[in-house]
Amino acid sequence: MIGQRSGFLLTGSIIALLIAFSPYLFYLYEIFPDGPVWENFLFSYESKYYLNVMTAMWTYLGKITPLFLLLIWFFTCKHWWYHVILVPTIMYGYQLITALYQDMYMDVKPMDTNQLIYLAPFFIIIICIVYLIRIKIFDKIYGIDLSEIEETNISVFSATSEKDLEEMDDVKNSSDTDEDYYAKL
């Protein structure tokens, strides 16, 4: 029991430190050179689209920092709707990949302008997952038995019974006002 508590405390402390570190992550762009090429002992990086390594890193870290915080939020959220956090996460990931692609290949076509077309399938899948989870939760909370609804074979497209048709005709032909009709219900 005590080991489990200390494990939670350690995990929470690490997450808190990572969140506190996030402004420093964003301002890391200031350590990069203010020129088109950055050479170090591992590799050489040339910014083709931004023509300045510091500007390129400012753009990348401006996407990486919120992406990093959104991922922490996603993995630590205990609410039923936490899958919705994937929507902005995917959006920032796409923008980061677009920025990297434009800078590496000097592709000046604005790939970021039609991002909703590319991201719509992900959004639809995530929204469906969240809605299904919501239905399951409401089923557990309010005791709604979804199998009963499926067994009744009621559908929008099912045929209307004769009795229902007669009642609808009676309502159409009656001189009752809306208030009278609702009072009868």
Side-chain angles (χ1 to χ4, degrees), residues 172-185:
K172 285 181 189 175
N173 296 331
S174 73
S175 61
D176 292 341
T177 61
D178 288 341
E179 290 91 17
D180 294 335
Y181 172 73
Y182 290 121
K184 289 179 185 176
L185 290 176

Side-chain angles (χ1 to χ4, degrees), residues 92-104:
Y92 272 107
Y94 179 81
Q95 289 175 353
L96 178 63
I97 291 168
T98 300
L100 286 167
Y101 180 80
Q102 286 176 336
D103 195 35
M104 292 175 104

Side-chain angles (χ1 to χ4, degrees), residues 1-15:
M1 187 73 143
I2 293 174
Q4 185 180 10
R5 284 190 208 161
S6 63
F8 285 134
L9 182 62
L10 178 65
T11 305
S13 299
I14 290 171
I15 291 170

Side-chain angles (χ1 to χ4, degrees), residues 31-42:
I31 67 170
F32 293 98
D34 192 16
V37 178
W38 173 42
E39 292 185 15
N40 57 32
F41 68 94
L42 296 173

Side-chain angles (χ1 to χ4, degrees), residues 159-172:
T160 309
S161 69
E162 290 295 324
K163 181 182 175 189
D164 290 339
L165 288 173
E166 288 174 11
E167 286 180 13
M168 286 190 282
D169 285 338
D170 290 343
V171 169
K172 285 181 189 175

Side-chain angles (χ1 to χ4, degrees), residues 101-135:
Y101 180 80
Q102 286 176 336
D103 195 35
M104 292 175 104
Y105 298 107
M106 188 51 193
D107 193 0
V108 291
K109 293 183 294 189
M111 292 174 57
D112 205 13
T113 56
N114 293 328
Q115 72 178 344
L116 287 178
I117 294 170
Y118 301 118
L119 299 177
F122 296 108
F123 296 164
I124 291 169
I125 291 169
I126 291 168
I127 289 170
C128 290
I129 289 170
V130 169
Y131 187 72
L132 289 173
I133 291 170
R134 180 185 174 275
I135 287 173

